[in-house]
């Protein structure tokens, strides 16, 4: 059996793609750069230009209901279901100016019911909140107190909007609708006119779930008007200063434009969909809307005509729930029901858009995935592995960028950073279950629950992502798929231009228990057909894997077996039996994998090796010579869902100036991901765990590796994608450097002791944490004979050193003295050192040490054992009279014998 390698395998999470939004409110600062989102009970601040997390604000255990940020990003207000409202001051971190340090200013209870909606005025000084109790309150953000309380709504407040009303005609009268005016009504109308005459009259509009809108005068603290035309929940409000109109949108599928002088409706626009957001563009000449169909639409405010071309309705998850406008960078940010955020350009909306010609829908600048949901599978794509394809429990494939962030990027609309969404591959009609890429990374195959497989052509350089072919024929979901992974000869045109030459065939496995081999057409116009179909297993097929030479392939099934097939004929070559539960994953060993000895001795692997992972919590390595199990790797506490072989490391490590060759020392390694949320690295030769990686809180479904960098990528049910960097070379270099430094310091310590440089010797021994060397040093000092006059320890130089230690050094010394003081053989040295310390430092200094972490325990241990030693000495002193009595009796006996016969019997 091979001996265990002396090279430590270590991996560290280098980058992480994690959720930033899981539903709820979304807010954006006036610069369009800082995005505030809800993540359950937490609030996150993200830089839209770089994708960097600026701050994470922990919640109180309850889900956030509203989230608001001041236009200049000075304050953040978060309300939760716990009926609390927290106001944070956002300050730039002193250590890292790119980070934000949120400081909690105050916690308030704004309403007796949860806050449903909130908004901040344009100055960033006032906050309006509306609750399920029908009450609207206005708050001073910096002061944290209520400035206005408005009552009048009968149900949940669904929309709020601050605005400034322009001056109106002083001779205008407000007419009653149905009843004769009373004196009080006339007085109220006069007050309304006086308030409207002010050019800086501050107003607040509030919408209710019953469709009513109320206009509140913040100066007079009263309701100016009740707008009652909607018949369902009001979801959007915005005011146009230029047109002096208020725009409202409701789930009753209408948008209403109100005259701010008479507060009567000027125009009703039938939208024919429930509207969730509305806003104004081009100084009120245009307005936009978003709703349940998931499409952003633009309308002419004057005519009520939609100027964007007709768009197909989106799916259930495409519905728009919020729309945020940023005028400084000319984009609209739409928030969708599937927790995705889409940036739309408004640059094309010029005066020409007001003509009778309809325009194209607003172009999409970027897509941002708030959460990737449960990650079922993933794969590196493109020839340089610069993109990552994610199957995220949906019918679409998400391509995300792995490029590093550009710190000089100033535009949030055009930013490209690590983890940014690049494209969305749409075509499947149900959830995608499996992925496979070819050797070049330019061809991606997908299998889904719609019983079809698709082949995608990935041309990232041209920003082209094409559905090349669709394979239809299975009767149930496709759960396994595999493409050729063996590169062609380097001199061939297929190697030089992989985008022009699709793979020759595709393998699929389904829940209908069959395996199909498909011939891939040479052109998109040609049809694809199955070369053969084989009834493969008795239960669902979970995984397929092609051998390095593509002559064999393996299929893993829930029937607890793995079958080896010939690729050309589709005939069974062997069956691997031994797992006690369904097999989730299978992988052929790379071509140049070193020999592996079996548990019963050396085994030939001329035909290759196969790795499997099962629901029985084990990983097995099989020989294809006799289809026997060579090793069983045990360590997971739940099902093993994914396995793979790690490529060999590069010949040298560049972690330091002196590269350390490690290839010859590294045995073949395999990686496994389990339902326990752990990723394990195994030594395939010995079957021992090399490393256990933990960064997921749910089961890990997906696992892949970059063959060039050995970068492991894992994704799981927690919506997190973790990039694991192989730091084995760096660890080996650091370990070697630390060992060398240790030897040098040990020798230096011996030289100090030999030369009598006590200060340097004691300081270095404390720094190196060498209690044995330090004890030997103090023992030699205490045993010095004769002791230097006036010295407490025996050597004056040592007294001076002990009297000039820092708090950290003194604390470390007392910890060593505590340990020595517990042993009767070393307590004398401990007491001598303790005596020097107590006499050299003030009581205040020593009392301060007791307040440090662990200081109280050290002082208590010193006191207890010191009292024990002194008690023992007192007992010995008290019992010493016996010795004195015996000595006295012996003296008398000797004297009596000398005075007598001189004979002592």
């Amino acid at each position: 059996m091979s001996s265990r390698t002396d090279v430590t395998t270590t991996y560290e999470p280098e980058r992480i793609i994690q959720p930033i939004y899981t539903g709820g409110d979304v807010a954006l600062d006036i610069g369009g750069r800082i995005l505030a989102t809800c993540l359950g009970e937490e609030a996150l601040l993200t830089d839209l230009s770089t994708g960097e997390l600026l701050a994470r604000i922990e919640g109180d255990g309850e889900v956030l209901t509203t989230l608001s940020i001041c236009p200049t990003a000075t304050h953040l207000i978060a309300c939760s279901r716990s009926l609390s409202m927290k106001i944070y001051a956002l300050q730039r971190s002193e250590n890292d100016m790119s980070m934000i340090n949120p400081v909690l200013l105050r916690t308030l209870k704004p309403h007796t019911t949860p806050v449903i909606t909130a908004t901040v005025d344009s100055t960033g000084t006032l906050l309006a909140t509306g609750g399920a109790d029908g009450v609207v309150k206005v708050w001073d953000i910096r002061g944290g107190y209520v400035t206005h309380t408005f009552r009048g709504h009968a149900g949940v407040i669904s929309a709020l909007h601050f605005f400034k009303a322009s001056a109106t005609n002083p001779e205008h009268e407000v007419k009653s609708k149905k009843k004769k005016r009373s004196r009080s009504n006339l007085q109220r109308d006069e007050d309304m006119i006086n308030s409207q005459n002010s050019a800086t009259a501050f107003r607040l509009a509030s919408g209710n779930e019953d469709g009513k809108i109320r206009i509140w005068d913040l100066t007079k603290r009263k309701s100016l008007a009740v707008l009652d035309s909607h018949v369902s929940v009001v979801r959007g409000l915005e005011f146009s200063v230029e047109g002096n109109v208020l725009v409202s949108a409701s789930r009753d599928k209408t948008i209403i434009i109100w005259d701010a002088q008479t507060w009567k409706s000027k125009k009703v626009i039938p939208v024919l969909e429930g509207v969730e957001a509305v806003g104004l563009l081009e100084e009120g000449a245009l307005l936009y809307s978003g709703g349940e169909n998931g499409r952003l639409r633009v309308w002419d405010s004057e005519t009520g005509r939609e100027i964007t071309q007709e768009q197909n309705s989106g799916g259930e998850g495409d519905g728009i729930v919020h729309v945020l406008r940023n005028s400084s960078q000319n984009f609209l940010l739409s928030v969708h029901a599937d927790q995705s955020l889409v940036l739309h350009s408004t640059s094309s909306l010029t005066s020409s858009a007001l003509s009778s010609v309809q325009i194209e829908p607003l172009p999409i600048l970027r897509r941002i995935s708030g959460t990737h949901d449960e990650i079922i599978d993933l794969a590196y794509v493109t020839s340089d592995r610069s993109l990552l394809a994610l199957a995220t429990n949906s019918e679409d494939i998400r391509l995300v960028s792995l490029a590093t962030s550009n710190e000089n990027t100033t535009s949030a609309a055009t930013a490209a950073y690590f983890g940014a969404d690049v494209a969305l591959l749409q075509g499947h009609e149900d959830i995608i279950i499996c992925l496979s890429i070819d050797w070049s990374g330019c061809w991606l195959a997908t299998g889904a629950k719609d019983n079809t497989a698709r082949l995608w052509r990935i041309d990232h350089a041209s920003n082209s992502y094409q559905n090349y072919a669709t394979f239809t024929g299975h009767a149930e979901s496709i759960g396994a798929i595999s493409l050729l992974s063996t590169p062609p000869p380097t001199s061939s045109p297929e190697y030089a231009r992989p985008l022009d030459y699709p793979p020759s065939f595709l393998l699929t496995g389904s829940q209908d228990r069959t395996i199909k081999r498909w011939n891939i057409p040479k052109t998109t116009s040609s049809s694809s057909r199955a070369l053969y179909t084989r009834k493969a297993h008795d239960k669902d097929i979970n995984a397929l894997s092609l051998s390095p030479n593509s002559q064999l392939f393996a299929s893993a099934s829930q029937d607890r077996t793995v079958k080896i097939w010939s690729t050309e004929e589709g005939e069974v070559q062997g069956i691997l039996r031994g797992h006690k539960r369904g097999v989730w994953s299978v992988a052929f060993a790379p071509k140049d994998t070193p020999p592996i000895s079996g548990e019963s001795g050396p085994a030939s692997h001329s035909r290759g090796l196969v790795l499997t992972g099962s629901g029985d919590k084990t990983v097995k390595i099989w020989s294809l010579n006799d289809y026997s199990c060579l090793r069983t790797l045990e360590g997971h506490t739940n099902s093993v869902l994914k396995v793979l072989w790690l490529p060999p490391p590069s010949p040298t490590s560049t972690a330091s100036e002196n590269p350390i060759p490690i290839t010859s020392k590294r045995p073949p390694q395999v990686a496994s991901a389990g339902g326990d949320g752990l990723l394990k690295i195994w030594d395939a030769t010995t079957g021992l765990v090399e490393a256990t990686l933990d960064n997921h809180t749910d089961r890990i479904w997906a696992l892949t590796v970059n063959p060039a960098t050995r970068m492991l990528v894992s994704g799981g049910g927690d919506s997190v994608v973790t990039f694991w960097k192989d730091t084995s070379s760096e660890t080996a270099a650091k370990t070697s450097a630390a060992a060398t430094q240790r030897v040098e310091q040990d020798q230096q310590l011996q030289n100090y002791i030999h030369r009598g440089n006590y200060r340097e010797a004691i300081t270095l021994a404390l720094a190196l944490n060498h209690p044995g060397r330090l004890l030997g040093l103090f023992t030699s000092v205490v045993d010095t004979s004769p002791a230097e006059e006036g010295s407490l320890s025996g050597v004056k130089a040592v007294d001076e050193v002990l009297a000039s230690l820092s708090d950290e050094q003194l604390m470390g010394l007392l910890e060593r003295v505590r340990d020595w003081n517990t042993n009767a053989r070393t307590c004398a040295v401990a007491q001598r050192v303790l005596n020097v310390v107590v006499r050299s430092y003030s009581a205040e200094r020593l009392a301060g040490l007791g307040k440090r972490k662990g200081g109280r325990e050290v002082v208590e241990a010193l006191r207890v054992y010191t009292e024990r030693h002194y008690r023992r000495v007192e007992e010995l002193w008290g019992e010493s009279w016996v010795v004195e009595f015996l000595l006295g009796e012996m003296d008398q006996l000797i004297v009596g014998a000398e005075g007598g016969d001189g004979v002592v019997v």
Side-chain angles (χ1 to χ4, degrees):
M1 182 178 292
S2 302
S3 61
R4 182 174 174 82
T5 176
D6 57 350
V7 177
T8 303
T9 300
T10 57
Y11 277 82
E12 296 293 336
E14 184 182 53
R15 304 295 292 267
I16 298 174
I17 300 176
Q18 55 190 346
I20 64 169
Y21 174 67
T22 55
D25 256 356
V26 175
L28 195 65
D29 73 329
I30 195 172
R33 186 160 188 145
I34 299 178
L35 176 70
T37 55
C38 297
L39 186 65
E41 65 180 74
E42 297 181 332
L44 268 60
L45 297 179
T46 306
D47 191 329
L48 272 183
S49 301
T50 63
E52 296 293 334
L53 180 64
L54 301 177
R56 179 185 293 270
I57 303 173
E58 295 184 358
D60 54 9
E62 294 289 343
V63 175
L64 294 179
T65 56
T66 65
L67 189 67
S68 304
I69 190 172
C70 290
T72 55
T74 57
H75 292 81
L76 178 79
I77 303 94
C79 302
S80 73
R81 289 183 181 174
S82 64
L83 307 184
S84 68
M85 179 174 72
K86 296 184 177 181
I87 302 177
Y88 297 87
L90 304 181
Q91 303 172 354
R92 288 292 177 178
S93 175
E94 296 181 357
N95 299 327
D96 187 356
M97 292 302 295
S98 63
M99 301 297 292
I100 291 178
N101 180 30
V103 178
L104 179 62
L105 298 181
R106 54 185 56 86
T107 301
L108 306 170
K109 185 178 180 180
H111 295 263
T112 58
T113 59
V115 176
I116 304 301
T117 183
T119 186
V120 178
D121 78 322
S122 59
T123 64
T125 58
L126 296 179
L127 168 74
T129 60
D133 54 4
V135 178
V136 177
K137 292 185 179 182
V138 180
W139 303 77
D140 184 288
I141 295 178
R142 290 174 174 80
Y145 55 85
V146 177
T147 61
H148 302 75
T149 299
F150 298 124
R151 306 178 188 274
H153 286 292
V156 177
I157 306 300
S158 56
L160 292 169
H161 181 66
F162 282 105
F163 64 94
K164 294 181 180 180
S166 60
T168 59
N169 185 357
E171 297 179 356
H172 174 75
E173 293 185 359
V174 179
K175 299 181 180 179
S176 175
K177 292 181 179 180
K178 295 183 178 181
K179 63 181 181 179
K180 186 178 180 180
R181 290 184 177 276
S182 63
R183 186 182 301 271
S184 59
N185 287 337
L186 292 174
Q187 182 63 39
R188 183 167 60 251
D189 292 341
E190 183 179 353
D191 292 341
M192 182 185 301
I193 293 172
N194 292 335
S195 64
Q196 288 177 335
N197 288 337
S198 174
T200 58
F202 289 93
R203 305 281 191 264
L204 174 65
S206 60
N208 188 251
E209 65 177 358
D210 61 4
K212 293 183 179 180
I213 301 171
R214 287 183 178 269
I215 309 300
W216 308 93
D217 188 333
L218 299 185
T219 304
K220 298 295 184 179
R221 301 174 180 269
K222 63 170 67 174
S223 174
L224 296 180
V226 178
L227 315 182
D228 189 6
S229 290
H230 288 293
V231 295
S232 186
V233 181
V234 178
R235 292 291 297 142
L237 294 169
E238 186 155 346
F239 185 80
S240 171
V241 177
E242 294 80 8
N244 200 26
V245 295
L246 178 73
V247 179
S248 64
S250 169
R251 289 178 181 169
D252 62 5
K253 304 182 180 182
T254 63
I255 296 174
I256 300 179
I257 301 177
W258 305 86
D259 188 337
Q261 294 183 356
T262 63
W263 293 120
K264 293 183 179 180
S265 63
K266 293 180 59 177
K267 187 175 294 296
V268 178
I269 303 175
V271 183
L272 304 182
E273 66 168 328
V275 185
E276 296 291 328
V278 71
L280 295 166
L281 298 168
E282 296 295 311
E283 298 181 347
L286 303 175
L287 62 87
Y288 62 84
S289 67
E292 59 188 9
N293 291 339
R295 298 294 181 259
L296 205 57
R297 305 164 70 182
V298 181
W299 308 78
D300 188 329
S301 301
E302 185 66 27
T303 64
R305 179 182 60 88
E306 183 179 1
I307 66 172
T308 48
Q309 296 177 0
E310 185 177 355
Q311 307 171 63
N312 295 326
S313 300
E316 182 179 353
D318 295 329
I320 295 176
V321 295
H322 300 287
V323 177
L324 304 178
R325 180 171 64 92
N326 184 269
S327 57
S328 63
Q329 295 197 22
N330 296 323
F331 69 79
L332 294 174
L333 176 66
S334 61
V335 184
H336 297 257
D338 61 355
Q339 290 90 46
S340 63
L341 294 83
V342 182
L343 275 72
H344 307 261
S345 174
T346 58
S347 301
S348 60
L349 296 178
T350 58
S351 58
S352 60
L354 300 178
S355 64
S356 60
V357 180
Q358 287 189 317
I359 63 173
E360 295 285 339
L362 298 182
I364 295 176
L365 299 173
R366 284 175 53 199
R367 294 182 184 271
I368 303 173
S369 297
T371 176
H372 290 300
D373 202 358
E374 189 169 5
I375 298 172
I376 300 176
D377 205 354
L378 51 78
Y380 278 104
V381 292
T382 70
S383 57
D384 59 354
R385 305 301 191 261
S386 60
L387 298 180
L388 191 70
L390 300 176
T392 60
N393 201 27
S394 69
E395 61 273 15
D396 303 326
I397 292 292
R398 296 177 181 177
L399 298 182
V400 299
S401 172
L402 302 183
T404 56
S405 302
N406 184 3
E407 297 181 356
N408 297 324
T409 300
T410 57
S411 175
T414 59
Y417 52 83
F418 187 91
D421 289 54
V422 174
L424 198 65
L425 307 185
Q426 297 177 317
H428 283 289
E429 298 176 357
D430 209 336
I431 295 174
I432 297 172
I433 302 175
C434 52
L435 303 177
S436 180
I437 61 167
D438 74 331
W439 65 272
S440 67
C442 298
W443 297 91
L444 173 68
T446 58
K449 286 186 176 182
D450 59 5
N451 306 345
T452 67
R454 291 177 182 263
L455 183 67
W456 307 84
R457 182 178 180 272
I458 310 297
D459 186 2
H460 183 46
S462 303
N463 199 27
S464 172
Y465 312 98
Q466 176 189 4
N467 181 16
Y468 183 82
T470 302
F471 306 90
T472 305
H474 281 289
E476 295 189 41
S477 301
I478 296 177
I481 198 165
S482 184
L483 282 174
L484 282 169
S485 58
T486 305
T490 55
S491 59
S492 65
E494 291 86 352
Y495 188 88
R497 302 188 307 277
L499 285 169
D500 298 334
Y501 297 90
S504 57
F505 68 89
L506 171 71
L507 294 172
T508 58
S510 170
Q511 288 184 2
D512 61 12
R513 307 170 189 176
T514 64
I515 292 174
K516 291 179 182 287
R517 171 177 169 171
W518 307 82
N519 283 337
I520 297 177
K522 298 298 182 182
T523 62
T524 56
S525 59
S526 303
S527 60
S528 56
R529 63 182 181 85
L531 182 63
Y532 59 73
T533 301
R534 298 289 184 267
K535 172 67 168 62
H537 291 273
D538 296 331
K539 292 186 178 181
D540 298 353
I541 298 172
N542 294 327
L544 293 174
S545 177
L546 272 165
S547 64
N549 58 13
S550 302
Q551 294 180 359
L552 301 173
F553 72 89
S555 62
S557 170
Q558 283 297 110
D559 63 6
R560 300 178 293 179
T561 66
V562 175
K563 292 186 178 181
I564 309 300
W565 306 75
S566 62
T567 306
E568 290 298 326
E569 297 82 12
E571 299 296 333
V572 176
Q573 305 297 305
I575 301 178
L576 310 181
R577 292 186 173 91
H579 282 295
K580 298 178 180 179
R581 291 195 177 182
V583 184
W584 283 102
S585 182
V586 61
F588 276 91
K591 183 178 180 180
D592 299 325
T593 302
I596 294 177
S597 298
E599 296 173 350
S600 58
S604 173
H605 73 296
S606 58
R607 295 191 61 190
L609 301 172
V610 170
L611 181 69
T612 59
S614 168
D616 60 9
K617 310 175 188 178
T618 65
V619 178
K620 290 181 180 289
I621 301 176
W622 308 79
S623 171
L624 293 184
N625 283 343
D626 55 2
Y627 305 105
S628 63
C629 178
L630 299 180
R631 289 208 169 273
T632 299
L633 315 180
E634 298 179 325
H636 282 284
T637 59
N638 209 322
S639 300
V640 178
L641 303 175
K642 202 77 172 183
V643 295
L644 56 79
W645 294 83
L646 292 180
S650 57
T652 58
S653 169
T654 57
S656 62
E657 297 180 356
N658 301 316
I660 301 175
I662 60 175
T663 303
S664 60
K665 300 180 182 180
R666 188 73 66 86
Q669 293 178 315
V670 299
S672 63
D676 51 11
L678 299 178
L679 179 61
K680 291 182 179 290
I681 311 297
W682 306 82
D683 183 337
T685 304
T686 63
L688 299 177
V689 177
E690 292 281 305
T692 299
L693 314 180
D694 184 8
N695 192 54
H696 291 274
T697 58
D698 204 340
R699 62 185 61 195
I700 302 175
W701 287 108
L703 183 66
T704 189
V705 64
N706 188 324
T709 63
R710 283 175 58 92
M711 177 78 75
L712 276 170
V713 185
S714 59
D718 56 1
S719 308
V720 173
V721 180
T722 305
F723 294 79
W724 302 92
K725 181 182 179 182
D726 184 3
T727 58
S728 302
S729 299
E730 291 88 338
T731 302
K734 291 178 180 178
T735 302
S736 177
T740 301
Q741 184 182 15
R742 190 81 171 187
V743 171
E744 294 175 352
Q745 290 176 334
D746 287 346
Q747 184 60 48
Q748 189 177 20
L749 178 60
Q750 293 290 345
N751 295 339
Y752 285 149
I753 296 175
H754 180 72
R755 292 196 298 264
N757 296 338
Y758 294 111
R759 174 177 293 278
E760 291 79 2
I762 293 173
T763 303
L764 185 58
L766 288 172
L768 295 178
N769 194 20
H770 274 186
R773 297 284 176 82
L774 194 61
L775 177 61
L777 173 61
F778 285 128
T779 301
S780 62
V781 170
V782 171
D783 294 341
T784 301
S785 181
E788 296 182 6
E789 184 178 355
S791 172
L792 299 175
S793 63
V795 178
K796 287 185 176 181
V798 174
D799 294 352
E800 296 175 357
V801 173
L802 295 180
S804 59
L805 298 176
S806 65
D807 287 348
E808 290 76 12
Q809 293 172 334
L810 186 57
M811 191 66 192
L813 177 61
L814 290 178
E815 290 176 350
R816 301 284 79 80
V817 170
R818 174 199 59 188
D819 298 336
W820 302 335
N821 199 37
T822 60
N823 193 324
R825 291 178 296 178
T826 58
C827 65
V829 177
Q831 287 297 318
R832 184 71 69 88
V833 175
L834 185 60
N835 180 47
V836 176
V837 170
V838 172
R839 292 177 180 272
S840 301
Y841 295 94
S842 64
E844 292 79 7
R845 176 82 178 274
L846 296 177
L849 294 177
K851 298 178 181 178
R852 298 171 67 93
K853 183 178 180 180
R856 183 181 297 275
E857 290 78 7
V858 172
V859 173
E860 183 65 18
L862 287 172
R863 183 189 65 81
V864 170
Y865 277 93
T866 299
E867 290 178 352
R868 180 181 299 180
H869 295 319
Y870 274 96
R871 189 163 52 250
R872 184 183 300 113
V873 171
E874 291 175 355
E875 291 174 356
L876 291 175
W877 179 261
E879 295 174 359
S880 64
W881 65 270
V882 178
V883 178
E884 293 179 356
F885 173 76
L886 291 176
L887 291 176
E889 291 297 321
M890 291 175 64
D891 290 341
Q892 293 180 6
L893 184 59
I894 293 174
V895 171
E898 291 178 350
D901 298 333
V903 178
V904 179
V905 181

